[in-house]
Amino acid sequence: MFPFNLQSVKNIRTYIAFLPLTLILLVIDSVLLGSCREKRELLNQTARPQETAGLPPLAFDIDAIRQRGRLVAILTNSSTGYFIYHGQPMGYEYELLNRLASDLQLKLDIKLANSIEEATYMLNMGEGDIIAFNMAVTAALQEDIAFTEPLHEARQVLVQRNPEHWRHMKYHQIEESLIRNPLQLEGKEVHVAENSAYAARLENLEEEIGGDIDIVASADALNTEALIRQVAQGEISYTVASENVATVNATYYPNLDVSTFISFPQKIAWATRRNAPGLLASVNDWLQGMKKQTEYYVIYNKYFKSPKTNLKRVHSDYYAVATSHISPYDAVIKQAANDLGWDWRLLVAQVYQESRFNTQAASAKGALGLMQLLPATGQMYGATDMLNPEQSLRAGVAYLIWLDNLWKKYIPDHEERIKFVLASYNAGQGHVLDARRLAKKYGKKPDQWDGNVAYFLEMKSKPKYYKDPVATSGYCRGTEPINYVEDILSRYESYKHLVKPNMEEVSQPLMAGI
């Protein structure tokens, strides 16, 4: 095409001045990028967040984390790591992180990442403290992050589709249609997450088999489950996944084959910043102790070794990886939340806390239904049948509206006021008003919940405080409403991560006429 030898860099310098810009770019592309792999490496480098270029990771180790009081974990939404099922946040990494944070006497905050680059960026910029998902330890990633003790080991497998009508075929016919030897991957198109251990393994495999594999890197497929689904649905032919994740997903998609190994066992670990040795040591100590306990293996088996349970969960309408539904009563809750002026996911978090969505729930104190109101309170707000879900929600929301109007006089900030409203719903507004007056008396901030009014609500279990002249409602076991508020807001945060905020089902105001 060109009047000189493109393989000679010297010739490029000779002729480059005479070429138009577009041809210059083509020449450079042909000479310097030669192979598909080199092109991928250049793309991977330019895809990394530019803000971190040349910058060291934020210095923020375990002492600073303890002072802050929160461990911020970076997770991905997947069928094994972190998801919502029937209103409850669940997942292998999520359950372990909860135990880690509790043992470190820290609260757990969750943030989600959509790519390995994004997770690493968030970690090193201090937006998170630990990356926790099914991540294989690789030399390339160790340049940017510090891996913990391995949680377990897993081999990489090729995810491929069984032939059409495979159930009616003989075993040898099925086997003949599938890739069983890595040599057969030469020339095949394999989709993997960009910069993942899977991409690195395929590139190494190219060297081992002496042939090119058409590796298609996806920048927004962190955990490969979307790619596994695409294989099952016939949109792509091949992807690669860890054996444990692939096996779980094969229970959802029976037409998948995940029996071809393409790697030796690899360490699966979490990661911290390279300049946070204190946090790394704390996590490693915890993992070493945790792996000696039966509980660790119970949690692992729950998500990776229970195919029937996994299948039941994934086919549920209330599984948040696959649907935006949380409960059977979402439509009614959305209408009620609209009347209340709340995000519907906050209200559904409260409903879960009250009744676990059980319309027949009854407490020892006589509270009934979804919103666990006493019959007398329910009747005050128009409910004649507290076991009727719509009536229970209508009465509960009417009570919440009344509490919200009460606290507007004192707490103008909407987000802060929600905590007072929830605590009042649980313990009664009298006890919360007492705690507010005690906070004012003792020089704390009566309009702030955390560390102020919440502290004195907890103190109302002690005679010095519940007998104080400013406290008119008497004794209160204050830890219960405090935990109630924390649990609801924590669940709400999980819902915000994993459930769409749509209000499409809201139509007529539920509270009309009340």
Side-chain angles (χ1 to χ4, degrees):
M1 178 177 178
F2 299 103
F4 53 87
N5 182 2
L6 290 178
Q7 302 304 313
S8 170
V9 175
K10 293 180 180 179
N11 286 345
I12 291 177
R13 292 176 178 172
T14 304
Y15 288 92
I16 198 165
F18 301 98
L19 294 174
L21 179 60
T22 53
L23 291 183
I24 291 172
L25 294 176
L26 285 171
V27 170
I28 294 173
D29 184 69
S30 298
V31 175
L32 299 181
L33 298 183
S35 71
C36 291
R37 184 184 308 159
E38 289 172 326
K39 292 179 183 178
R40 283 198 302 272
E41 290 174 354
L42 181 61
L43 288 172
N44 290 345
Q45 292 170 7
T46 58
R48 293 175 181 172
Q50 297 302 309
E51 296 89 338
T52 59
L55 294 177
L58 179 76
F60 200 80
D61 206 347
I62 186 65
D63 290 339
I65 292 170
R66 289 189 187 280
Q67 186 173 3
R68 183 181 60 192
R70 294 179 292 114
L71 178 70
V72 183
I74 304 168
L75 287 169
T76 181
N77 180 200
S78 72
S79 64
T80 55
Y82 182 43
F83 57 89
I84 300 292
Y85 180 58
H86 279 282
Q88 179 66 18
M90 296 179 66
Y92 170 68
E93 275 83 18
Y94 178 75
E95 286 201 31
L96 289 179
L97 284 167
N98 267 298
R99 285 160 176 76
L100 169 64
S102 177
D103 289 348
L104 293 178
Q105 297 183 323
L106 297 167
K107 293 181 180 179
L108 177 65
D109 282 356
I110 301 292
K111 292 189 176 181
L112 296 184
N114 295 315
S115 69
I116 292 173
E117 285 75 20
E118 183 183 9
T120 302
Y121 168 76
M122 291 169 64
L123 181 73
N124 287 326
M125 292 297 287
E127 296 178 21
D129 304 312
I130 185 168
I131 300 174
F133 45 78
N134 201 76
M135 183 166 52
V137 176
T138 67
L141 286 174
Q142 283 178 319
E143 295 178 5
D144 298 318
I145 54 182
F147 282 103
T148 65
E149 286 274 322
L151 282 79
H152 52 266
E153 294 181 352
R155 291 173 291 186
Q156 292 185 25
V157 298
L158 182 70
V159 180
Q160 56 189 322
R161 205 166 45 257
N162 281 311
E164 194 174 358
H165 308 304
W166 62 277
R167 293 184 187 275
H168 305 290
M169 298 171 64
K170 294 182 179 180
Y171 175 77
H172 74 88
Q173 292 175 317
I174 298 173
E175 286 296 297
E176 288 171 359
S177 72
L178 297 172
I179 289 178
R180 289 292 182 238
N181 188 328
L183 288 170
Q184 296 173 270
L185 282 174
E186 183 176 357
K188 297 293 192 298
E189 185 177 274
V190 185
H191 293 248
V192 289
E194 189 176 53
N195 292 328
S196 65
Y198 312 130
R201 176 58 194 144
L202 289 174
E203 291 177 0
N204 290 336
L205 194 57
E206 285 182 315
E207 298 291 342
E208 294 168 16
I209 68 175
D212 287 336
I213 301 170
D214 187 2
I215 305 170
V216 181
S218 174
D220 58 355
L222 176 62
N223 56 54
T224 78
E225 287 195 344
L227 297 175
I228 293 175
R229 182 171 62 253
Q230 289 180 38
V231 173
Q233 294 173 349
E235 298 174 18
I236 61 177
S237 296
Y238 306 102
T239 189
V240 177
S242 291
E243 180 183 4
N244 52 0
V245 173
T247 302
V248 169
N249 278 266
T251 64
Y252 312 150
Y253 308 110
N255 66 331
L256 291 181
D257 178 271
V258 295
S259 302
T260 300
F261 298 108
I262 64 167
S263 80
F264 292 107
Q266 293 179 298
K267 297 175 182 177
I268 305 298
W270 294 345
T272 65
R273 283 180 291 276
R274 289 174 59 83
N275 62 349
L279 175 61
L280 181 63
S282 296
V283 175
N284 284 341
D285 287 345
W286 181 83
L287 282 172
Q288 290 170 1
M290 187 67 184
K291 288 194 291 184
K292 295 176 182 177
Q293 300 179 30
T294 303
E295 183 184 18
Y296 172 82
Y297 300 96
V298 170
I299 294 171
Y300 182 88
N301 291 340
K302 176 179 178 180
Y303 294 101
F304 294 109
K305 299 290 186 179
S306 303
K308 290 183 179 179
T309 302
N310 292 340
L311 194 61
K312 178 182 177 181
R313 185 166 58 229
V314 81
H315 287 156
S316 169
D317 289 337
Y318 310 109
Y319 175 59
V321 170
T323 179
S324 60
H325 299 303
I326 301 176
S327 80
Y329 310 103
D330 285 358
V332 181
I333 290 172
K334 288 176 182 181
Q335 292 178 344
N338 191 46
D339 295 328
L340 181 58
W342 282 9
D343 184 326
W344 76 276
R345 296 167 298 181
L346 172 59
L347 182 57
V348 80
Q350 185 187 11
V351 176
Y352 179 90
Q353 186 73 22
E354 289 290 346
S355 63
R356 304 297 193 270
F357 309 131
N358 178 9
T359 61
Q360 306 300 306
S363 76
K365 296 180 181 179
L368 299 171
L370 284 181
M371 294 296 285
Q372 287 292 283
L373 290 172
L374 293 170
T377 306
Q379 289 172 10
M380 285 177 57
Y381 292 100
T384 58
D385 180 5
M386 292 306 300
L387 300 182
N388 178 290
E390 187 168 333
Q391 287 193 35
S392 181
L393 281 164
R394 179 183 289 115
V397 168
Y399 182 32
L400 287 168
I401 290 174
W402 184 85
L403 289 171
D404 189 66
N405 288 331
L406 168 72
W407 285 107
K408 275 180 183 176
K409 296 182 291 186
Y410 307 105
I411 317 294
D413 181 77
H414 175 72
E415 299 298 322
E416 190 67 23
R417 189 167 65 249
I418 284 171
K419 301 172 186 177
F420 287 79
V421 171
L422 290 173
S424 299
Y425 191 96
N426 179 259
Q429 69 275 10
H431 290 301
V432 184
L433 286 165
D434 280 354
R436 187 174 182 275
R437 288 189 287 266
L438 286 166
K440 188 173 182 180
K441 177 176 178 177
Y442 286 93
K444 295 288 186 177
K445 298 176 181 178
D447 299 337
Q448 291 188 13
W449 178 257
D450 296 316
N452 292 276
V453 175
Y455 170 80
F456 285 99
L457 187 59
E458 184 176 7
M459 291 298 101
K460 280 201 69 191
S461 63
K462 299 181 178 181
K464 175 183 176 180
Y465 297 97
Y466 71 75
K467 290 183 177 181
D468 191 291
V470 304
T472 60
S473 296
Y475 171 86
C476 178
R477 192 159 53 217
T479 53
E480 291 185 4
I482 291 169
N483 291 337
Y484 178 86
V485 173
E486 288 184 358
D487 289 347
I488 290 172
L489 294 180
S490 175
R491 188 172 298 108
Y492 173 47
E493 285 301 313
S494 293
Y495 291 172
K496 285 197 295 184
H497 291 149
L498 302 176
V499 182
K500 296 176 182 178
N502 70 79
M503 293 291 290
E504 296 169 359
E505 298 171 41
V506 173
S507 53
Q508 298 299 320
L510 185 66
M511 305 307 301
I514 293 182

